[in-house]
Amino acid sequence: MRERAHILVCGGTGCVSGQSKLIMDEFKKEAAALGIEQEIKLIFTGCFGLCAKGPIVVIYPEGAFYGPVSVSDVKEIVSEHILKGRIVTRLLGTDTCEKGVNKSIAESAFYKSQQRIVLKNCGLIDPEDIDEYLAYDGYSAYEKAVTQMMRQQVIDCIKASGLRGRGGGGFLTGLKWQFCLEAKGKQKYVVCNADEGDPGAFMDRSILEGDPQSIIEAMMIAGYAVGSDKGYVYVRAEYPIAVSRLDIAIKQARAYGILGKNAMGLGHAFDIEIRLGAGAFVCGEETALLRSIEGKRGEPRQRPPFPAVKGLFDKPTLINNVETLGNIPQIILNGAEWFAAIGTEKSRGTKVFALGGKINNTGLVEIPMGTTLRTVIEEIGGGIPNGKKFKAAQTGGPSGGCIPASHIDTPIDYDNLIALGSMMGSGGLIVMDEENCMVDIAKFYLEFTEEESCGKCTPCRIGNKRLYEILERISEGKGELSDLDKLEQLSHYIKDNSLCGLGQTAPNPVLSTLKYFRDEYVAHVRDKKCPAGVCKALVSYTIIPEKCIGCTLCKRVCPVDAIIGELKGKHVIDTAKCIKCDACVGACKKGAISK
């Protein structure tokens, strides 16, 4: 029987939290009630990327992109679109709808500047069905590597591609594989780092949720290349959907004879185990991660020796993060030249970013290296909400820095970001507008890294605490101009003397905000004022008499009765009572309250 439609419902964490499972169940219920369950194919797939429009439903062959969809919308979609062939234009996502006319996803503003390599199967296949992965050339890359290439040829291919590690450091992937191949030892390990700890980052999680078989295949290729028969995936326990789908994928691969003593019958043994992390940010650092797998306290160790020489259980270990591995099958299938032609001279390929903050189109994007920040923010991201101005973008999470609006046309690649005082990191990209205080932003990230420090080395354990204390004084109006010099001096000391990457990069948010937004620091210290009105100790609320109409809205929402005034009379704020909760500002429709 010819199918009427393929209905893909987003099964990523964000959409699941928006009841996409119930939407899936409702489609099944409606189809059964109409007797058309055999005429449609329902797929609970991975993340489509445009999380701002979730829960998302995409229906083929038309490619209609619906979002956000609620359970109550399902009946109309089935009756109108599935039965009558009429697209429900009111539910079309704004990025795929122009004057009520459906456009393909590829034509939409959100997707047209992207190039999906790592995410190519996410939102397209059922991640819990290995047959769908096989239908999209799944495991063809492994078969090609084992049957047509020697181990060194595989590594040479990865080298020639120019692929750099997507986990933060940007080290050449092929070179890391070469070191592990040349390391002496009968037992070697391949480890996938899925301990994604940056605030706002969910790239690795989405890949594991939407295309787990691709990571298994990549680890098998890596195992063949370096001479390993054992792999581990270290994944955060806070990612239950990713863990579940990865577990299903591993079991299905074993059942098909893909994983095991004779992988795919090609003579190479390889198997994978999952290890759950308990949420320690420092375990994203490779040596701390390996210690955690061993059952030890997750603390970094001195390098060298590097894991490629002495890693897990003191054996040579190849460790790459999820996104890095996600590129491997495509490079083997399409060739190093194909991959190297994408991106820039020193930053080949694409990069996946978790786009969040003050941006209309929050979500997951994959762009060629060298794409400008402007393209990401204005075209893909849809600009800043509520007519606000773009102020800065934080890349690299707590380890990165803030890029000001003056550098919005900077091409995004490893070297350009480092030159600006930031870094690629794992791929978080947080957008800020004029209402963000940069002193507060620096304090937020530093508080995170201070809490997540393992405490093993003094520069990180004590130095970051002192940095945070200085920032706290400044945000409370107790700072001095000399504190700005202290922040810079201490930051450079921490960067130069910390044991691992967490400590070495922790001061980046402080240094970058000092570099580009020093005037805000000076305003906090000298003028005792927060220009963005964020730091409560430096904010005072007043009602502008000329604008106040005596509506009493502000008075009614004040939780501490700090607003005095009668109906149709002028109101005033008792600053002694005011707790600076901002409720009155949100309630006032005339903009009569200033801070």
Side-chain angles (χ1 to χ4, degrees):
M1 181 182 292
R2 185 174 180 271
E3 294 172 335
R4 290 174 180 260
H6 283 199
I7 303 174
L8 287 80
V9 180
C10 177
T13 292
C15 286
V16 168
S17 68
Q19 298 189 326
S20 64
K21 282 185 177 180
L22 296 180
I23 292 171
M24 185 78 171
D25 292 339
E26 191 69 13
F27 270 113
K28 292 177 182 177
K29 178 182 173 183
E30 285 294 322
L34 294 168
I36 60 170
E37 60 265 49
Q38 300 301 318
E39 299 177 43
I40 63 172
K41 184 171 183 179
L42 273 167
I43 302 168
F44 203 46
T45 186
C47 178
F48 288 99
L50 189 50
C51 302
K53 302 298 180 186
I56 293 169
V57 174
V58 176
I59 300 180
Y60 291 101
E62 298 85 359
F65 185 102
Y66 293 124
V69 175
S70 65
V71 174
S72 60
D73 294 323
V74 173
K75 188 178 183 72
E76 182 180 0
I77 293 173
V78 172
S79 63
E80 289 295 308
H81 187 149
I82 306 303
L83 293 183
K84 300 175 184 176
R86 298 194 296 226
I87 292 173
V88 185
T89 56
R90 74 173 184 87
L91 292 175
L92 288 174
T94 54
D95 284 295
T96 56
C97 176
E98 186 175 324
K99 297 180 181 179
V101 179
N102 180 61
K103 298 190 296 183
S104 71
I105 291 177
E107 294 176 309
S108 70
F110 181 78
Y111 292 99
K112 67 181 180 181
S113 296
Q114 297 190 47
Q115 184 171 355
R116 290 164 77 89
I117 296 175
V118 177
L119 300 178
K120 80 180 193 73
N121 288 334
C122 293
L124 184 63
I125 67 172
D126 181 349
E128 297 184 11
D129 186 350
I130 191 173
D131 289 328
E132 294 207 5
Y133 181 71
L134 291 170
Y136 284 88
D137 295 323
Y139 293 102
S140 297
Y142 174 74
E143 183 178 15
K144 177 182 177 181
V146 176
T147 61
Q148 300 179 32
M149 305 167 76
M150 302 295 288
R151 288 176 174 174
Q152 187 60 57
Q153 288 177 306
V154 173
I155 294 175
D156 288 343
C157 179
I158 304 303
K159 282 182 181 177
S161 73
L163 175 65
R164 295 172 66 171
R166 301 304 198 236
F171 190 76
L172 286 168
T173 303
L175 197 56
K176 183 182 282 191
W177 287 30
Q178 186 72 56
F179 291 154
C180 193
L181 173 65
E182 294 173 353
K184 296 179 180 179
K186 291 183 179 180
Q187 179 63 60
K188 297 181 181 180
Y189 296 102
V190 173
V191 174
C192 171
N193 182 351
D195 190 66
E196 187 174 47
D198 287 4
F202 54 97
M203 301 75 60
D204 293 351
R205 184 195 76 198
S206 296
I207 296 167
L208 290 177
E209 289 176 352
D211 195 14
Q213 296 286 353
S214 68
I215 304 306
I216 295 173
E217 181 174 13
M219 292 179 70
M220 291 174 66
I221 294 168
Y224 168 71
V226 302
S228 168
D229 64 357
K230 184 69 175 180
Y232 290 91
V233 180
Y234 186 89
V235 59
R236 300 177 73 81
E238 297 95 330
Y239 287 174
I241 296 175
V243 172
S244 172
R245 290 181 183 163
L246 181 62
D247 184 56
I248 290 169
I250 290 172
K251 289 176 179 176
Q252 289 182 345
R254 285 180 186 146
Y256 273 51
I258 292 171
L259 284 174
K261 294 182 178 180
N262 186 12
M264 292 181 65
L266 299 175
H268 175 237
F270 195 80
D271 207 348
I272 295 172
E273 291 184 29
I274 299 173
R275 288 291 183 269
L276 300 183
F281 180 66
V282 73
C283 285
E285 196 277 337
E286 58 183 16
T287 61
L289 182 152
L290 297 177
R291 283 177 57 86
S292 183
I293 292 178
E294 294 169 351
K296 301 172 184 175
R297 180 183 174 89
E299 291 180 332
R301 63 163 173 78
Q302 195 74 39
R303 298 179 301 174
F306 291 92
V309 177
K310 187 178 180 181
L312 188 62
F313 305 117
D314 291 333
K315 306 296 183 183
T317 303
L318 176 65
I319 179 167
N320 291 125
N321 87 318
V322 173
E323 186 185 343
T324 307
L325 290 169
N327 284 286
I328 300 300
Q330 295 306 307
I331 292 173
I332 296 299
L333 271 182
N334 298 297
E337 296 79 8
W338 163 81
F339 188 84
I342 303 166
T344 64
E345 183 180 356
K346 295 183 179 180
S347 300
R348 308 289 188 179
T350 61
K351 182 72 188 78
V352 182
F353 286 98
L355 186 60
K358 305 289 186 67
I359 193 79
N360 282 310
N361 295 336
T362 56
L364 205 64
V365 305
E366 184 173 1
I367 55 172
M369 294 281 195
T371 302
T372 65
L373 191 58
R374 184 185 296 276
T375 298
V376 174
I377 292 170
E378 296 182 357
E379 296 181 22
I380 298 173
I384 313 299
N386 305 317
K388 301 294 183 181
K389 294 181 180 178
F390 168 64
K391 184 174 185 176
Q394 169 85 6
T395 64
S399 302
C402 294
I403 303 170
S406 58
H407 290 287
I408 194 171
D409 291 310
T410 297
I412 299 173
D413 63 20
Y414 288 97
D415 297 329
N416 281 332
L417 292 184
I418 290 172
L420 290 175
S422 188
M423 63 183 296
M424 188 76 72
S426 58
L429 202 163
I430 308 299
V431 180
M432 289 162 270
D433 67 12
E434 58 200 285
E435 293 185 345
N436 285 106
C437 168
M438 304 315 291
V439 176
D440 185 67
I441 290 294
K443 190 174 75 167
F444 166 78
Y445 282 112
L446 202 68
E447 181 180 23
F448 177 85
T449 49
E450 183 210 347
E451 289 179 353
E452 293 293 337
S453 172
C454 74
K456 186 174 183 179
C457 72
T458 304
C460 180
R461 183 182 71 249
I462 304 299
N464 282 321
K465 187 174 183 62
R466 297 290 92 84
L467 276 182
Y468 180 77
E469 289 170 354
I470 296 172
L471 287 173
E472 197 165 36
R473 286 203 308 270
I474 291 172
S475 65
E476 291 174 353
K478 301 174 183 177
E480 301 175 356
L481 286 175
S482 60
D483 285 333
L484 306 189
D485 294 328
K486 291 177 183 177
L487 283 174
E488 288 185 327
Q489 292 168 5
L490 185 53
S491 292
H492 287 297
Y493 178 83
I494 295 168
K495 285 177 69 71
D496 293 341
N497 294 281
S498 292
L499 175 63
C500 78
L502 185 148
Q504 292 161 7
T505 58
N508 282 346
V510 178
L511 290 171
S512 64
T513 51
L514 273 171
K515 179 179 179 180
Y516 297 114
F517 302 96
R518 196 178 189 90
D519 57 327
E520 288 196 29
Y521 281 87
V522 172
H524 281 70
V525 173
R526 186 183 61 198
D527 305 329
K528 308 301 178 186
K529 183 178 180 180
C530 175
V534 172
C535 299
K536 289 188 176 182
L538 302 178
V539 173
S540 61
Y541 292 75
T542 57
I543 297 177
I544 304 169
E546 296 79 16
K547 292 186 177 182
C548 179
I549 61 172
C551 66
T552 73
L553 284 175
C554 59
K555 183 178 179 180
R556 280 182 267 167
V557 299
C558 180
V560 293
D561 297 323
I563 298 178
I564 304 164
E566 300 300 325
L567 183 64
K568 297 184 179 180
K570 302 299 181 184
H571 288 54
V572 295
I573 296 174
D574 185 344
T575 56
K577 286 185 178 180
C578 179
I579 60 172
K580 304 174 182 179
C581 65
D582 225 34
C584 58
V585 177
C588 182
K589 299 185 183 303
K590 297 295 181 178
I593 302 174
S594 67
K595 59 177 181 176

